[in-house]
Amino acid sequence: MNVGEICSRIVVVAERSTPVQQAAKLMRDHHIGALVVTEGSAGARRPIGIVTDRDLVVEVVAADVDYRMLTVGDIMSERPATLKETAGLFEIIAQMRNSGVRRLVVVDANEHLLGIVAMDDLLPVLAEELSSLAQAIKVEQRREAQKRH
C-alpha cells in the first residue's frame, strides 16, 4: 500500500498572504488541524509551507500577538515535509519520525500538491495489517495442529 492510496486528496489550502484569522476559520469550518500553504494555480499548486492549529496557539495566542496583524506567511513552517505518492507505508512512518511531524504533504513527480496524510490516517491501516499478521499466526498454528493429529 502506498501513500497515494491512504492520503486525503481533499486538501484545504491557503496562500502566504491569507490572514491568520481566515486560516483559523478555514480549519474550524473544515474540521481540520492543518492548512497547506501553496503557490501556483489550481492543478499545479506547489506546497511552500504548512500551518497547524498548534502554530496558531503557540505562535499567536500564547505569544499574545495581535492576530489581525498576521498572515499565514508569518507563522507557517516553511518547506513542509513531503513524500511522493508512490512511497510505501514504512517510508511514511520513517519520514514522519525523521521530520518530527504528524502530517506529510503528498506530492507528484513534479512536486505538485496531491494530498495530505496524517498519523490518524495510518492507524486504521496499521491496525488492519497487524490483524492480518495475527490471523496468519492462527492459521499456521491450526495447520500445525492438524498435521500432528
Side-chain angles (χ1 to χ4, degrees):
M1 181 168 298
N2 65 40
V3 72
E5 297 172 273
I6 300 169
C7 73
S8 173
R9 299 283 180 143
I10 300 170
V11 183
V12 181
V13 299
E15 294 180 359
R16 186 184 298 268
S17 61
T18 302
V20 165
Q21 184 178 25
Q22 184 180 346
K25 286 180 180 180
L26 283 169
M27 288 184 201
R28 183 191 65 205
D29 293 348
H30 292 277
H31 309 286
I32 56 172
L35 297 174
V36 177
V37 185
T38 62
E39 61 184 15
S41 58
R45 294 187 188 278
R46 291 188 187 275
I48 59 168
I50 192 165
V51 173
T52 67
D53 46 9
R54 181 170 168 74
D55 293 327
L56 292 171
V57 170
V58 173
E59 301 296 328
V60 181
V61 177
D64 198 24
V65 177
D66 184 358
Y67 68 88
R68 293 172 294 213
M69 306 299 287
L70 297 175
T71 65
V72 165
D74 296 323
I75 66 168
M76 73 179 187
S77 297
E78 294 191 38
R79 294 182 302 279
T82 62
L83 207 55
K84 298 278 193 270
E85 65 182 314
T86 55
L89 190 56
F90 293 114
E91 289 174 88
I92 301 167
I93 295 167
Q95 178 71 1
M96 285 181 173
R97 181 185 62 239
N98 294 337
S99 300
V101 297
R102 300 173 59 95
R103 298 171 184 92
L104 294 170
V105 177
V106 181
V107 296
D108 65 15
N110 297 314
E111 300 292 323
H112 294 147
L113 177 64
L114 284 180
I116 190 165
V117 64
M119 279 187 188
D120 294 359
D121 301 320
L122 298 180
L123 292 175
V125 174
L126 290 170
E128 188 175 323
E129 295 299 321
L130 288 173
S131 178
S132 294
L133 285 174
Q135 289 300 318
I137 291 169
K138 287 181 181 179
V139 169
E140 179 187 34
Q141 290 171 341
R142 271 189 251 134
R143 283 186 184 157
E144 187 176 313
Q146 288 173 350
K147 283 184 180 180
R148 291 186 185 158
H149 286 41

